Amino acid sequence: MIKIQKKNFDYAEESKKFSKKNKYSGSISSFLGKVRKESNNKLIESIEIEHYPKMTKKEIKTIIDYVISNWEIDDFLIIHRFGKIDVAENIVLILIASKHRKDSLDSLEYVIDWLKVKATFWKKEITKKGEFWVDQKESDTKKIKKL
Amino acid sequence: MKVIYFASIKETLGISEEKIILKKPCTILELIEILIKKDKKYKFVFSNLAKVKCAVNSSYVDFNTVVYDKDELAFFPPVTGG
């Protein structure tokens, strides 16, 4: 399931529900992305995430379709937030269930790496010194080229 | 055609979308040339195409893609989600 939403989510609650739903899977891997309090020596107050609604879900679906074709996974959940998000709050959650750990671990890494370079979200950091759009990291695109 | 802008590009241009009348199909690069002639803000936005991505009807495309009047064209910076 893919959820693009404004409101925060409860990591423990989502993990519990997913685990219960996939009680016979041998492995569940998870990634939780949160708002850091510091970036490039600036104290972050909050971030603002903008997205292209028509395209965001479609791009994530393409990533997931590749995962389903290349790893044996039982289920997945992706939640990505947009709008204003305060420091320490959750941004993104990825849960993948599979029979064996290698499938959930490897596919999880694939999803987060590709999400960072394809899913149409843009992050702006709000600090006391001003507001700054975040640039895509060269290391993220280089990593994708190696895959 | 409908042209939409996101994030820093939207802020620089001061608009989130606009209608452009395409009398005949053209490549996105050709359309950018038309936009650049409209205002210096466009010249600034499109001065470094490595910092601009584009999508037609919500799919990534390159700048040599031909667009039609019925299309929705989006310009945005490289994404930074996750």
Side-chain angles (χ1 to χ4, degrees), chain A:
Chain A
M1 188 187 286
I2 301 166
K3 294 182 189 176
I4 312 294
Q5 63 187 50
K6 206 166 187 175
K7 65 172 187 193
N8 202 359
F9 55 85
D10 186 318
Y11 171 61
E13 186 62 30
E14 294 295 343
S15 301
K16 192 178 162 186
K17 275 193 287 184
F18 189 79
S19 181
K20 197 175 172 187
K21 187 180 167 205
N22 296 287
K23 59 182 172 187
Y24 297 117
S25 296
S27 163
I28 291 176
S29 296
S30 70
F31 171 80
L32 175 67
K34 299 176 67 181
V35 182
R36 286 190 304 269
K37 71 169 183 179
E38 199 183 328
S39 172
N40 297 321
N41 299 320
K42 294 187 298 279
L43 281 178
I44 307 293
E45 293 184 336
S46 62
I47 64 166
E48 186 82 37
I49 293 183
E50 185 178 334
H51 80 120
Y52 182 5
K54 267 191 199 171
M55 195 165 164
T56 312
K57 219 168 188 173
K58 189 174 160 184
E59 284 301 317
I60 298 176
K61 178 84 172 41
T62 303
I63 296 167
I64 282 297
D65 285 347
Y66 183 87
V67 163
I68 290 167
S69 312
N70 286 275
W71 285 278
E72 274 189 46
I73 69 162
D74 296 334
D75 197 9
F76 71 91
L77 171 68
I78 297 174
I79 304 175
H80 201 302
R81 294 179 64 199
F82 64 92
K84 184 179 180 286
I85 309 176
D86 288 330
V87 165
E89 277 189 9
N90 305 322
I91 305 172
V92 57
L93 173 66
I94 305 168
L95 298 172
I96 298 183
S98 64
K99 205 173 285 175
H100 303 290
R101 73 177 187 278
K102 191 164 172 45
D103 289 296
S104 66
L105 285 169
D106 291 355
S107 60
L108 177 80
E109 191 176 10
Y110 180 90
V111 171
I112 189 63
D113 286 346
W114 279 90
L115 197 137
K116 276 187 163 290
V117 298
K118 286 289 179 191
T120 45
F121 293 102
W122 301 276
K123 212 178 273 166
K124 184 195 254 183
E125 292 170 344
I126 318 294
T127 76
K128 280 200 167 65
K129 290 178 183 172
E131 302 180 0
F132 307 91
W133 287 102
V134 175
D135 284 329
Q136 193 176 64
K137 284 186 196 144
E138 211 177 309
S139 57
D140 288 337
T141 46
K142 270 186 185 164
K143 196 171 178 192
I144 288 302
K145 280 174 189 162
K146 284 181 189 165
L147 290 170

Side-chain angles (χ1 to χ4, degrees), chain B residues 2-78:
Chain B
K2 186 179 176 184
V3 185
I4 51 179
Y5 307 102
F6 290 97
S8 54
I9 293 179
K10 178 176 80 177
E11 278 190 359
T12 304
L13 295 177
I15 50 169
S16 59
E17 63 175 77
E18 64 182 319
K19 290 268 181 204
I20 305 279
I21 294 163
L22 273 191
K23 286 177 187 158
K24 56 176 187 172
C26 66
T27 67
I28 294 170
L29 271 180
E30 287 167 338
L31 181 73
I32 288 172
E33 288 304 317
I34 295 169
L35 292 171
I36 284 173
K37 283 176 192 157
K38 272 177 66 171
D39 191 285
K40 61 182 177 187
K41 287 179 187 168
Y42 292 93
K43 197 171 182 180
F44 178 76
V45 162
F46 295 114
S47 60
N48 180 4
L49 290 183
K51 298 272 183 192
V52 180
K53 298 283 178 194
C54 54
V56 172
N57 304 323
S58 61
S59 292
Y60 281 103
V61 292
D62 63 42
F63 292 106
N64 292 312
T65 301
V66 174
V67 287
Y68 300 83
D69 197 49
K70 61 179 171 37
D71 288 333
E72 177 178 282
L73 171 63
F75 288 112
F76 46 81

